[in-house]
Amino acid sequence: MKADNWKSLAAVAGVMMSVSAGAQESSGSFGSEGQFVISTDASASLGYSTQGSGVGYIFLEPGADYFLKKNLSVGSGLQVRALFGGGDTVAAFGLNARIGYNIPLTERVSVWPKGQVSLYIGDDILPFANQSLPADVTVILEGYAPFLFHVTPHFFVGGGPRLAFGLGGDVEVNFSVASTIGGYF
């Protein structure tokens, strides 16, 4: 009789462990297929522009991304950018489309490089102006590679280099360091 009790207990423990492992697998680590990520990127007065010094700026970019496959994401964001100093403050609002690939480095650290194209409406920003578009429309190609620290499951903070190229007759370049904070489910 005792042997049957041990067998039953072992069977129940085995079922519980497999259910627990399945639940952990479905919640997944960052970058799992089907995850939805909400984040915001920001940088402020940390950059250098080929237009010269003496200009401060703040960039805010709330966005959402979806992992189509393991570590492969697509997303979009709303961008708000303002430049100040050396004259009038200029501002622009934009939308972007982006693609990224998460590279896990350790259990709590990964790097998530993303490439994106942005369309801005408003003042010329840095002054990325495309002469073939109306004066208040700007197109920018960007690359951003934040290193993420996963503070807890489903929450991360990070930062990294950001490089932007304005499309137009003269290629304008902006290099900055940006930060990011977000969560996923």
Side-chain angles (χ1 to χ4, degrees):
M1 182 123 166
K2 288 186 179 186
D4 287 336
N5 285 342
W6 282 109
K7 288 180 185 176
S8 298
L9 184 59
V12 168
V15 168
M16 289 176 64
M17 288 187 62
S18 65
V19 168
S20 173
Q24 289 175 352
E25 195 173 298
S26 67
S27 69
S29 60
F30 184 73
S32 295
E33 183 175 341
Q35 278 183 348
F36 187 68
V37 180
I38 303 290
S39 65
T40 188
D41 301 334
S43 58
S45 296
L46 298 173
Y48 169 79
S49 170
T50 57
Q51 293 300 305
S53 59
V55 176
Y57 58 85
I58 184 165
F59 297 170
L60 298 175
E61 183 180 328
D65 296 272
Y66 180 77
F67 281 92
L68 296 172
K69 299 174 99 178
K70 182 151 180 75
N71 294 320
L72 179 64
S73 67
V74 294
S76 184
L78 172 67
Q79 296 173 318
V80 179
R81 295 189 174 199
L83 280 79
F84 49 88
D88 293 333
T89 298
V90 295
F93 300 93
L95 292 173
N96 70 40
R98 58 190 180 211
I99 186 167
Y101 193 83
N102 180 59
I103 303 167
L105 301 175
T106 69
E107 186 176 310
R108 295 188 144 232
V109 177
S110 66
V111 60
W112 188 20
K114 296 179 263 188
Q116 68 187 33
V117 61
S118 303
L119 177 66
Y120 288 91
I121 298 175
D123 296 316
D124 292 342
I125 297 290
L126 293 181
F128 297 143
N130 184 337
Q131 302 305 318
S132 65
L133 296 172
D136 61 349
V137 176
T138 305
V139 177
I140 299 176
L141 296 177
E142 295 182 83
Y144 178 39
F147 286 82
L148 305 179
F149 178 68
H150 303 274
V151 180
T152 65
H154 305 281
F155 177 72
F156 60 86
V157 296
R162 186 174 207 135
L163 185 61
F165 298 92
L167 301 181
D170 295 327
V171 175
E172 301 295 337
V173 178
N174 177 267
F175 177 76
S176 62
V177 175
S179 63
T180 190
I181 185 170
Y184 57 96
F185 53 94

